[in-house]
Amino acid sequence: GENVEQHPSTLSVQEGDSAVIKCTYSDSASNYFPWYKQELGKGPQLIIDIRSNVGEKKDQRIAVTLNKTAKHFSLHITETQPEDSAVYFCAASISNFGNEKLTFGTGTRLTIIP
Amino acid sequence: DGGITQSPKYLFRKEGQNVTLSCEQNLNHDAMYWYRQDPGQGLRLIYYSQIVNDFQKGDIAEGYSVSREKKESFPLTVTSAQKNPTAFYLCASSIDLTVNSPLHFGNGTRLTVT
């Protein structure tokens, strides 16, 4: 089955700087890659996703890049703000399958230092 | 507001007792899921339900049971057969089972068994 590795497990950045979280996946058939943000005491929330027919997707300060050859994808957060502090999870799946096949990474705890 | 309600937020039980975690959604979603979250691990799927009166085992179903008698409700029972029941449990729902339907999570229940 699919295996998703996520790095780093913790990340601290100064407010205003950029943060990058990287995930690698094992199944070359995977073609759907969502990112979830989990704030303290809450459930995860989808913030952005990318499919394998594109290499990059942006939404304001958040972007995700995908390298199919190397089988890795990354989350980029620019101009970080205190509200970006949270745990971020990547996931991978094959779009022909269902959500039950989503494989999650182990999470990155991002701390923004004021 | 539409959403997913998990109750209680914290739950304490003695070893050997069964315990049921509540999950209710008013999003009119067909699919519902239960995940387990442990420190340093990704979200792991326990059970999922595509539609009322139907449910399937996920990756770590042993020691758990579910029911789906109503569209809005998907309770999870942690039985005494579950070897390591202490964990954070997340319920989620989506419009349907496809990955085009993002997961909407509740705020979780933290179960402690002593």
Side-chain angles (χ1 to χ4, degrees), chain A residues 41-43, chain B residues 6-10 88-91 106-110:
Chain A
K42 296 186 177 181
Chain B
Q6 289 187 245
S7 60
K9 191 174 180 69
Y10 299 96
F88 188 59
Y89 291 89
L90 285 163
C91 179
N107 287 336
T109 292
R110 186 167 298 281

Side-chain angles (χ1 to χ4, degrees), chain A residues 6-13 19-21 86-88 106-112, chain B residues 40:
Chain A
Q6 183 171 347
H7 299 282
S9 57
T10 61
L11 179 62
S12 296
V13 300
V20 181
I21 302 170
V87 177
Y88 292 81
T106 51
T108 296
R109 182 174 299 279
L110 174 63
T111 302
I112 306 303

Side-chain angles (χ1 to χ4, degrees), chain B residues 12-85:
Chain B
F12 299 89
R13 279 294 183 270
K14 294 289 188 185
E15 193 173 321
Q17 294 178 338
N18 291 354
V19 59
T20 297
L21 282 59
S22 169
C23 178
E24 302 279 332
Q25 57 102 354
N26 60 5
L27 298 168
N28 200 33
H29 286 173
D30 282 324
M32 297 189 74
Y33 316 77
W34 275 104
Y35 288 90
R36 172 176 171 143
Q37 185 175 16
D38 295 286
Q41 297 196 38
L43 304 178
R44 293 184 292 167
L45 183 64
I46 304 172
Y47 266 98
Y48 66 98
S49 168
Q50 187 172 2
I51 201 167
V52 176
N53 293 322
D54 178 72
F55 50 83
Q56 304 294 330
K57 292 182 179 179
D59 300 319
I60 55 166
E62 186 176 348
Y64 300 97
S65 65
V66 294
S67 63
R68 186 85 188 276
E69 297 176 2
K70 297 186 301 181
K71 186 175 185 177
E72 303 80 18
S73 180
F74 192 40
L76 173 74
T77 297
V78 184
T79 75
S80 56
Q82 168 51 232
K83 301 294 184 204
N84 297 295

Side-chain angles (χ1 to χ4, degrees), chain A residues 24-98:
Chain A
T24 59
Y25 60 98
S26 60
D27 190 343
S28 56
S30 289
N31 57 4
Y32 175 68
F33 308 94
W35 285 89
Y36 284 82
K37 173 184 180 182
Q38 185 176 24
E39 297 177 355
L40 192 63
K42 296 186 177 181
Q45 181 178 12
L46 178 71
I47 56 173
I48 195 168
D49 58 14
I50 191 169
R51 298 177 190 273
S52 61
N53 57 345
V54 297
E56 183 176 4
K57 185 176 179 180
K58 287 183 179 180
D59 183 4
Q60 300 182 336
R61 296 186 297 107
I62 293 174
V64 57
T65 58
L66 172 64
N67 184 327
K68 289 187 292 182
T69 303
K71 289 191 285 187
H72 68 70
F73 56 110
S74 300
L75 178 71
H76 304 254
I77 306 174
T78 59
E79 302 173 6
T80 53
Q81 301 170 4
E83 55 264 35
D84 295 328
S85 292
V87 177
Y88 292 81
F89 290 95
C90 63
S93 184
I94 300 172
S95 61
N96 288 345
F97 296 160

